[in-house]
Each structure stands twice: as structure tokens, then as C-alpha cells.
Amino acid sequence: MDIPKRGSRDYTKIASMKMIDMVFKFAILLSFGLLVSANADVYTVIMEGEPVITYRGGVGGFAATASESGEKIDVTSETVKSYSVHLEKQHDALLEALFEAGTYKKLYSYHYLINGFAIHTSPEQAEALRWVPRVKYVEKDMKMKRLTTHTPKFLGLTTAVWPNDGGYNRAGEDIVIGFVDSGIYPEHPSFSTRHSAPYGPVPGYRGKCEIDPVTKWDYCNGKIVGAQHFAAAAIAAGQFNPAIDFASPLDGDGHGSHTASIAAGNNGIPVKLYGHEFGKASGMAPRARIAVYKALYRNFGGFVTDVVAAIEQAVKDGVDILSLSVGPNSPPTTTRTTFLNPFDATLLSAVKAGVFVAQAAGNGGPFPKTLVSYSPWIASVAAAVDDRRYKNYLTLGNGKILPGLGLSPASHGNRSFNLVAARDVVLDSSVLKYSPSDCQTPDVLNKNMVEGSILLCGYSFNFIVGSASVKKVSETAKSLGAAGFVLAVESVTPGTKFDPVPVGIPGIVITDVSKTMELIDYYNSSTKRDWVGRATHFRATGAIGDGLRAVLYMSAPQVALFSSRGPDVKDFSMQDADVLKPDILAPGSLIWAAWSPNGTDDPNYTGEGFAMVSGTSMAAPHIAGIAALIKQKHPRWSPAAIKSALMTSASTLDKVGRPLLAQQYSGTEMLKIVKATPFDYGSGAVNPRAALDPGLILDAGYEDYVRFLCSTPGIDHHEISNYTKVTCNASSRQHPADLNSPSIAIAHLHGIQTFTRTLTNVAETETYVITSRMSPEVALEVNPPAMTLLPGASRKIYVTLTVRSVTGRYSFGEILMKGSRGHKSNE
């Protein structure tokens, strides 16, 4: 089996236990600078009054605009437009009343996410604004705030976790994380030891380091403690090409270096591309050691045989944590259950050996039953969009502003330039077979006609399959002397994902087809042609905005559109399993991290040292790194205990205390935002600080997982015996939902059923009061209603579910255990 690189009944599911829900609150300031002069600066001014996104009424004549249901706000509605105009008029009236015309320039009015504006003015006038009663604050513009890797700060590691355990230079000390991936680029500063305290040997780790046959590199340096590659199956299949796949641990793809640095990369590494610093990168556990087990390759992914060999070697070598951004293409067909394919069965053994496993849930979202991580002994990780987003815009000569994506500088001097379409400057019509509108090479375009103008290119299918890239468009435009480029999407396949790409010249991708049509109409109406249709005068103009600044959103985290969804399945026929998947949510969208210069996984980052990539592949190493911090603090905890701590402490609220939302498709394949469920996020968004002190855990071991297998309907007990060497007996045939995990999932609930959970206190003596809530279709009762646990003591609780009405769909609920010392647990 090939493995990609990444990754009349009542249905009832009880969501995961969670402890210590934390709400992350950040003060947000957006500063945008467009004009700079000797005696003026750019300032951001925040006004009183609610923006569109949070306005719930109260201003005479203007109805509420905030969405109560979590649905995407319709910005084209008259309600939203009228309130937006109202706010903008307030901004203009204030400025006109205070200052003389010509002494300032308003650059933007903010009214959707924040209420305020950006102004280019003198320091004296900015100071005058500070004293206006309706102005909340004024702040001078500055270079973009250091946000990369932004996720350590977003997750609270920099302020609430690392300082409590010796700082970042102790975070993950002597914990070994194994990466079964595409290798590593050992010379990257994220893995260097040049500026760190010396690394000693790791007790209990027995891995080896291959010597590169070509470069003669020794991949180990103290930070990297093991590096091996596995390609026997790939070679046998005729897929392995040593010229590009490298018969060594060298990363020929970029993916492996990226995931390793997310989990355990050094702290404070500057992320620089095209002369701009996007921030400083850090792993979740920057002092943890890295062990590389290369089994994935750039063109074909990998094979189960090689991956299983890599996992086995990693466990043998003594890794503490396994990070797996890899999974099967589909549920296995050779076994009757997903839980006993060779990959999952190998991981069951890894867990038996005390290794915690974090696996990417898959990138098949937002559709149900798209998970590629199935088993309860694995921590299956869904991907979240964090609070940082990048936006850009194109201002046309007719005054229209078209939104788009592009991590680029603004047009020179913030001026407008003529727009020149690639199809109108082709050197020879015979080259049309080379798709010159893709702008992938300058050789087919007339430099004299392009120079000094903005080159207008077309987004074709070649970009989707990877044979064309935004990076190449940028290089073409630069080679031709263009003032920038616009890449316009004229048609789009449902599910196509657009991420902002850093470029060295002004550039933007217009992803909204309707906006592209506006651009084309404007261009065609402004361009003069001769009698045969050749362009003779280019009079359409445009200016590209500054796309280098990140915008911080309050509604975060959100479940990413691509993140695979539950319910979990137990076989190839896609029957629902009595297991909650995914398990947990972690950042996985637009993640800056290390890249290999040889990397081809994303053509936009070929030759670069860093890349901003999205996928559950990026979410899994976040959990692996946080698990390393837990393992460091609680070295005797089992993999199940670590998984329990992560799940029971996760939050189902975003950073402003609202229920988590998920990106989803509307009926017209447009993106919309909906209320998320446990099939989107599992137990919730990871909360590292709470996970280090969960109060209670739900532990389980190998025998518990075997009993789970024996109790799962439809599994051939001979298969169980083949993999586990355990014979199922009558005493092991309980209900699968009796597995002592931090969630209860029941695919087919009939009548009344009672399940048990055993809770263990890992803190001081504490008394817990137990409450619950459940959808009305099912009655939920938990006993006892309260309990006191001494340190290390365990106690059973009994969860009884009763069908009240048959709905044919899943119902969700939770059990809250609130401790006298402040711990909280939800199931």
C-alpha cells in the first residue's frame, strides 16, 4: 500500500473529558504603514464602538450585525454595509473636525474586525488624537511583530509553560522524539548546536547515525541523536531514485525538516525570506532531541513496509515520542478492521513499549469519515487555524479594491502601475502551446512591453498539479523588470486550497473568481486594441498592497477546512467505530518552520530555508512536542496517561470564550463557518499549561487495548491473536466503549447502557463535584455525584445513557468534574 506524505437507530457520542479550560486573551493592534515621509508617520487609531463582527445592536437606526449562530457574516447584506458606512463616516467626521485638509491622509478605515483607522500624519496631530474622548488609543506604526513560529506564544508555552520548568533552554531536556518522515537537513540553524548549551548522551537511547555517502555528513550533533533511512520496499518497487531521493537521511522533500522543527527545533531562529524577517521560529520542546527515521520520499510518498520498519527501529532505539505525519490512503482491505492493519498494529506494540504516538488525522476534510488515523492507542491530531492570517489587496484605477493573498511588499511608493496581461505580450503566437499566461518563464514574453508594469497572469491547472508555482511567476516578473504581478484565478475546482506565498516583489493572487471577473472586465475595457485584436495601449492601472503584515483574529482557533473529520470507522465498509476520532486539535495552518533547500514538497519554497505550510502533518508535531514536555515533567506516565492529560485539559472554547468553530463548505462550495463538534476537534484545542497539571488522568495499557479489540464486533479473533498473541475469552468481551479512555463513543445506542471509567488523581488530595449535560434525545446520568481522591488514588465512575428519542444522528454531551483545588475535567 502506498502512503501519502501527509497524512431506525440513535447514534450517541459523549465528548471528551477536559480539565482546566483556559481562555487565551490577547490585546490586538493592527498597524499598517503605507506612506512614509520625513516629518510624518503612520499611526493606528482605535475608536470606541463595536466593529461589524461583534456589533449586537444599540446604535439608533442600525440593526445588529454579529452572528449568533457562528455562521459566516454576509458582508454584502444591507445591514452590514450600512453599519460599516456609519463607522467610516464617524472616522472621517472626526478627522475633518480636528485637522486641516492636506495635513493628514487616512489610509484605511477598519470596521469589520476592529473599529478604527490608519492615518499618515505628524507626531503632533497624532498626539492630539490621543486626547479625543472617543479615541481609545493611538499607536505609531512599527515593523511587523515577531510571530513565528507563532504557535508557541498562541499556545501559552512562552509565558505559562517554559518559564515554570527552567525556560526554553530546558524544555524537553533528554526527551527523544522520533520522526518517521522524509528525513532532515542537518545544517539548518533549527537543528544546530553552535549557540546552545552542550548536549550530553541521552540515557536509554540507542539509535545510530548514518554517514551520508555523498556529503560525508555525520547527521548527529547532540541535538540530532539518530538518523537512518528506510527504502527497501521503495527500491524493490522501482520507485526509488537515489539522485533525488538520496540514499541517506538527507531530506529531499522539505516535509521532514518542517515537522521536526515544529516539535523540537531550536528557539529564536530568525525566519528570513527575500530580505524580510517574518519572525523567529521555535519548536514546542526546543531542548528535546531529534531522532530521524526517513521512510518518505518526494515523488511517491512511501510504503507501509518501510514505514513499519522505521517505527520498529525507532522503538528499538528507545525514542520516547513518535511523530507521524503519515497515514494510509484508505482503510485497509487486507484485514477486516482498521485497528489491525500492519501500521496500527505496529503502533500498538510501540505503545506497549511506552512510546507515545502522535499521528496526523488526515487532510480529507471537511467531509465525514475521512480520517486516516483510527486506533484508540494513537493520539490522532486535527488541524486548527490559529489567530494569525495574511491578507492583501489590489486597488484598481477605477477605485475598486480586490482582496487576495500575497506575502509581498506594496507597489513601489504605493503608486499605481499599468496592468499588462501576459497573453497580450507574447513574443510569438507559436508559443501558446507553452501556456504563457502561467508566467512560468520570461522567454516567451516581450520584456519591452512588460517592464515597469504589473504583469497580469492566469492561474491554471498547472498550479494545482505542481508544475507551475507562484514563485516562478515572481521570478518571471522580476526578470522582465515588472513592477509586480497579479495571478488571477478564473475558475476553481471545489476543495482547492490557496495559501499566501512569500515573494520578493509586489505580487498578489486573486482567489475569488468573481473578483477576477471584475479585474478582467476593467482590463478589457481599458485596453485599446487594433483591428486584429492586438493590444496597443495599456490604460488599466493597479496598486498592490502591503501583504507582509499579519492580522490577528479573535475567533481562534478554528478547525481548518482540510482537516479530516470523524466519525471513526472500523473497517473498509466504513462502518462507524465505537471510538472518538480525532482526539485533539492543534495548530496546522500556515505554519512557519524549517525547510530543506532540496525540498520539493511545495514548489513555492524550492531552495529556501523556511516554508509556511498547512496540513495535519503540521498539527501532529505540535502534539508530539507538547507530549515531550509532559514526559519530561512526568517521566513515569504511560502513553495513555499523556494522551489523557492532553485530552482532558483541552478546551472547546476559542480565545474569547466562544464555542469552537469549524471551516466548512456551503451548498455552493463556498467557505462558511459553523459550530464545531467532537468529530471536528476531538476533545478540543490543546492547552499545554493545563495538560502539564491535569489533576486526573484515565490510564490504560496494552491489555486494555486488547480487550477493546476482542470486544469490537466483526473482528476475527484469529487476527487479534496473530498480532497480539493473546486469545480472546469471555471475560474480555466487554463493550468497546468500556475502554478507559477520556471519551465515550457509541455508534449504536439501544435502550439503556452503562459504562465505567477509572480516574486516577495525579495531584494533591482533591474533592470533585460531578455534573453533566447532554442533548435531549439521550438521558445522561453519572455516579457518584462527588468524590474525594487522595494522591495516587483511583476511583470508578459509572456513566448511564438512556435513549429518549430516536433521531438517526449523533448526539453530544459532556461530564464536568470540578475540583476543590481548581482542576476541571469534562467528559
Side-chain angles (χ1 to χ4, degrees):
M1 181 191 301
D2 287 342
I3 299 182
K5 286 173 288 189
R6 312 301 168 232
S8 55
R9 296 175 180 150
D10 186 51
Y11 299 82
T12 302
K13 157 63 200 58
I14 308 258
S16 300
M17 294 185 176
K18 311 160 194 68
M19 301 177 184
I20 320 180
D21 290 343
M22 299 291 292
V23 177
F24 296 99
K25 296 182 179 179
F26 295 100
I28 295 183
L29 174 63
L30 308 180
S31 298
F32 296 85
L34 292 179
L35 298 175
V36 178
S37 66
N39 59 355
D41 290 299
V42 176
Y43 296 85
T44 297
V45 181
I46 302 300
M47 300 282 291
E48 289 183 353
E50 295 295 316
V52 168
I53 197 73
T54 59
Y55 174 61
R56 299 185 180 276
V59 178
F62 298 95
T65 57
S67 173
E68 293 290 339
S69 64
E71 294 287 337
K72 185 176 181 180
I73 294 175
D74 181 8
V75 297
T76 66
S77 71
E78 287 302 318
T79 299
V80 171
K81 289 194 293 186
S82 63
Y83 185 67
S84 299
V85 169
H86 164 71
L87 293 180
E88 187 162 357
K89 286 182 175 179
Q90 284 191 331
H91 304 161
D92 293 338
L94 172 65
L95 292 172
E96 291 169 4
L98 284 176
F99 308 133
E100 293 183 9
T103 63
Y104 70 91
K105 183 176 182 180
K106 190 191 72 171
L107 305 178
Y108 302 102
S109 272
Y110 307 119
H111 39 71
Y112 188 70
L113 297 176
I114 59 173
N115 178 20
F117 53 86
I119 183 176
H120 183 237
T121 191
S122 68
E124 293 77 13
Q125 293 196 153
E127 182 63 24
L129 278 169
R130 298 181 197 275
W131 296 94
V132 177
R134 287 186 55 80
V135 171
K136 285 188 174 181
Y137 61 83
V138 179
E139 185 161 323
K140 185 179 177 181
D141 194 16
M142 62 188 74
K143 289 185 177 180
M144 187 174 64
K145 191 176 181 181
R146 303 304 193 245
L147 296 173
T148 309
T149 293
H150 178 57
T151 47
K153 181 177 181 180
F154 178 71
L155 295 173
L157 293 171
T158 58
T159 56
V161 175
W162 294 344
N164 297 332
D165 292 287
Y168 72 85
N169 55 353
R170 281 276 303 150
E173 184 74 69
D174 289 339
I175 302 299
V176 180
I177 306 176
F179 297 89
V180 179
D181 215 299
S182 66
I184 198 165
Y185 186 71
E187 298 298 297
H188 198 282
S190 288
F191 314 123
S192 172
T193 59
R194 293 187 184 95
H195 303 292
S196 63
Y199 286 96
V202 182
Y205 180 73
R206 300 167 294 277
K208 68 176 183 179
C209 279
E210 297 178 10
I211 302 297
D212 192 287
V214 177
T215 66
K216 305 303 179 183
W217 279 342
D218 180 349
Y219 285 82
C220 291
N221 60 2
K223 174 70 172 177
I224 303 172
V225 294
Q228 303 170 59
H229 84 288
F230 302 81
I235 293 171
Q239 296 288 311
F240 188 85
N241 181 350
I244 60 174
D245 293 320
F246 307 116
S248 74
L250 182 63
D251 186 4
D253 181 271
H255 191 262
S257 300
H258 201 270
T259 57
S261 66
I262 290 171
N266 291 330
N267 182 64
I269 305 303
V271 178
K272 293 183 179 180
L273 282 87
Y274 304 106
H276 182 81
E277 183 176 316
F278 287 91
K280 290 181 167 58
S282 175
M284 303 298 103
R287 188 67 179 177
R289 314 297 182 93
I290 294 170
V292 177
Y293 301 87
K294 178 180 173 180
L296 303 180
Y297 299 89
R298 62 166 73 181
N299 289 330
F300 58 88
F303 291 86
V304 168
T305 306
D306 291 332
V307 171
V308 168
I311 293 169
E312 182 178 72
Q313 188 62 53
V315 176
K316 284 181 180 178
D317 289 345
V319 300
D320 299 296
I321 311 290
L322 266 176
S323 179
L324 302 176
S325 294
V326 59
N329 291 329
S330 67
T333 59
T334 54
T335 60
R336 293 192 62 185
T337 176
T338 54
F339 310 128
L340 283 179
N341 69 80
F343 185 75
D344 285 56
T346 301
L347 295 177
L348 175 58
S349 297
V351 170
K352 184 180 181 182
V355 178
F356 174 86
V357 181
Q359 183 188 8
N363 296 333
F367 309 107
K369 297 187 180 184
T370 50
L371 296 155
V372 296
S373 181
Y374 311 108
S375 299
W377 46 87
I378 301 167
S380 306
V381 189
V385 178
D386 63 30
D387 61 343
R388 181 185 58 183
R389 322 282 166 85
Y390 291 99
K391 302 291 183 182
N392 206 341
Y393 58 90
L394 171 68
T395 303
L396 300 179
N398 61 5
K400 289 187 176 181
I401 299 176
L402 308 183
L405 298 174
L407 271 69
S408 82
S411 298
H412 182 69
N414 299 295
R415 293 167 42 216
S416 292
F417 295 85
N418 289 334
L419 300 176
V420 175
R423 60 180 169 82
D424 285 330
V425 294
V426 176
L427 286 172
D428 190 323
S429 61
S430 65
V431 302
L432 289 175
K433 61 183 179 180
Y434 300 112
S435 300
S437 291
D438 285 357
C439 301
Q440 295 299 289
T441 175
D443 300 337
V444 300
L445 302 177
N446 188 326
K447 182 175 182 178
N448 291 332
M449 299 180 73
V450 175
E451 192 168 15
S453 300
I454 293 176
L455 182 62
L456 181 57
C457 309
Y459 188 96
S460 70
F461 184 71
N462 294 331
F463 289 87
I464 298 174
V465 299
S467 59
S469 68
V470 178
K471 181 183 177 79
K472 281 289 187 182
V473 175
S474 175
E475 292 173 350
T476 296
K478 184 177 181 180
S479 177
L480 295 170
F485 69 88
V486 176
L487 184 58
V489 179
E490 296 185 55
S491 63
V492 63
T493 303
T496 302
K497 181 167 63 72
F498 297 98
D499 286 342
V501 175
V503 291
I505 67 172
I508 187 171
V509 181
I510 305 298
T511 60
D512 188 328
V513 174
S514 66
K515 299 302 180 184
T516 292
M517 294 302 105
E518 291 183 26
L519 171 61
I520 293 174
D521 290 344
Y522 168 64
Y523 177 82
N524 288 336
S525 65
S526 304
T527 302
K528 301 301 180 182
R529 301 180 183 276
D530 62 17
W531 66 276
V532 295
R534 290 175 300 200
T536 57
H537 294 87
F538 300 99
R539 295 176 179 174
T541 62
I544 298 168
D546 182 355
L548 295 174
R549 297 180 179 277
V551 178
L552 296 180
Y553 280 62
M554 298 299 289
S555 181
Q558 290 180 0
V559 182
L561 182 70
F562 58 80
S563 186
S564 288
R565 309 303 211 259
D568 194 11
V569 297
K570 64 181 180 180
D571 53 32
F572 187 73
S573 65
M574 308 299 283
Q575 292 188 59
D576 292 8
D578 295 309
V579 178
L580 172 65
K581 290 290 175 177
D583 290 302
I584 198 162
L585 182 70
S589 179
L590 305 181
I591 305 299
W592 280 112
W595 199 248
S596 171
N598 307 302
T600 59
D601 185 55
D602 189 326
N604 290 307
Y605 295 98
T606 301
E608 304 297 343
F610 292 90
M612 184 173 64
V613 185
S614 300
T616 54
S617 286
M618 286 67 248
H622 278 88
I623 294 300
I626 295 167
L629 300 178
I630 299 174
K631 184 73 172 179
Q632 179 187 17
K633 185 173 182 179
H634 305 284
R636 296 185 178 275
W637 280 13
S638 69
I642 296 173
K643 181 182 175 184
S644 171
L646 288 163
M647 293 177 65
T648 60
S649 61
S651 176
T652 58
L653 303 177
D654 65 18
K655 68 178 190 178
V656 292
R658 297 171 181 165
L660 289 175
L661 302 175
Q663 296 180 346
Q664 184 57 264
Y665 283 133
S666 66
T668 58
E669 301 293 341
M670 297 296 291
L671 179 68
K672 68 175 181 178
I673 306 299
V674 300
K675 184 177 179 181
T677 77
F679 288 149
D680 303 318
Y681 56 66
S683 58
V686 65
N687 182 341
R689 179 183 181 183
L692 287 164
D693 181 24
L696 300 174
I697 59 169
L698 294 90
D699 210 351
Y702 184 75
E703 295 76 12
D704 299 298
Y705 295 125
V706 172
R707 281 194 290 271
F708 161 82
L709 291 170
C710 291
S711 66
T712 299
I715 295 185
D716 187 335
H717 287 183
H718 291 97
E719 286 190 23
I720 298 173
S721 180
N722 289 341
Y723 282 107
T724 67
K725 310 306 178 187
V726 175
T727 301
C728 296
N729 53 48
S731 63
S732 64
R733 295 173 187 173
Q734 57 188 21
H735 193 285
D738 276 320
L739 177 66
N740 199 47
S741 69
S743 62
I744 300 174
I746 307 147
H748 309 294
L749 178 65
H750 301 281
I752 302 173
Q753 290 182 259
T754 298
F755 305 93
T756 62
R757 288 294 183 269
T758 301
L759 307 172
T760 301
N761 185 16
V762 292
E764 299 298 320
T765 300
E766 193 161 4
T767 298
Y768 287 87
V769 175
I770 304 175
T771 57
S772 63
R773 57 186 178 188
M774 186 72 200
S775 298
E777 304 86 15
V778 177
L780 169 60
E781 182 181 0
V782 184
N783 284 299
M787 60 183 179
T788 298
L789 287 165
L790 299 175
S794 298
R795 181 77 181 270
K796 290 184 182 295
I797 63 171
Y798 300 89
V799 181
T800 300
L801 298 167
T802 305
V803 176
R804 284 175 169 169
S805 62
V806 176
T807 64
R809 64 177 183 270
Y810 279 95
S811 301
F812 301 97
E814 62 182 357
I815 300 166
L816 172 66
M817 289 171 283
K818 186 174 183 180
S820 57
R821 292 181 174 270
H823 293 108
K824 296 179 182 178
S825 170
N826 292 2
E827 177 173 336

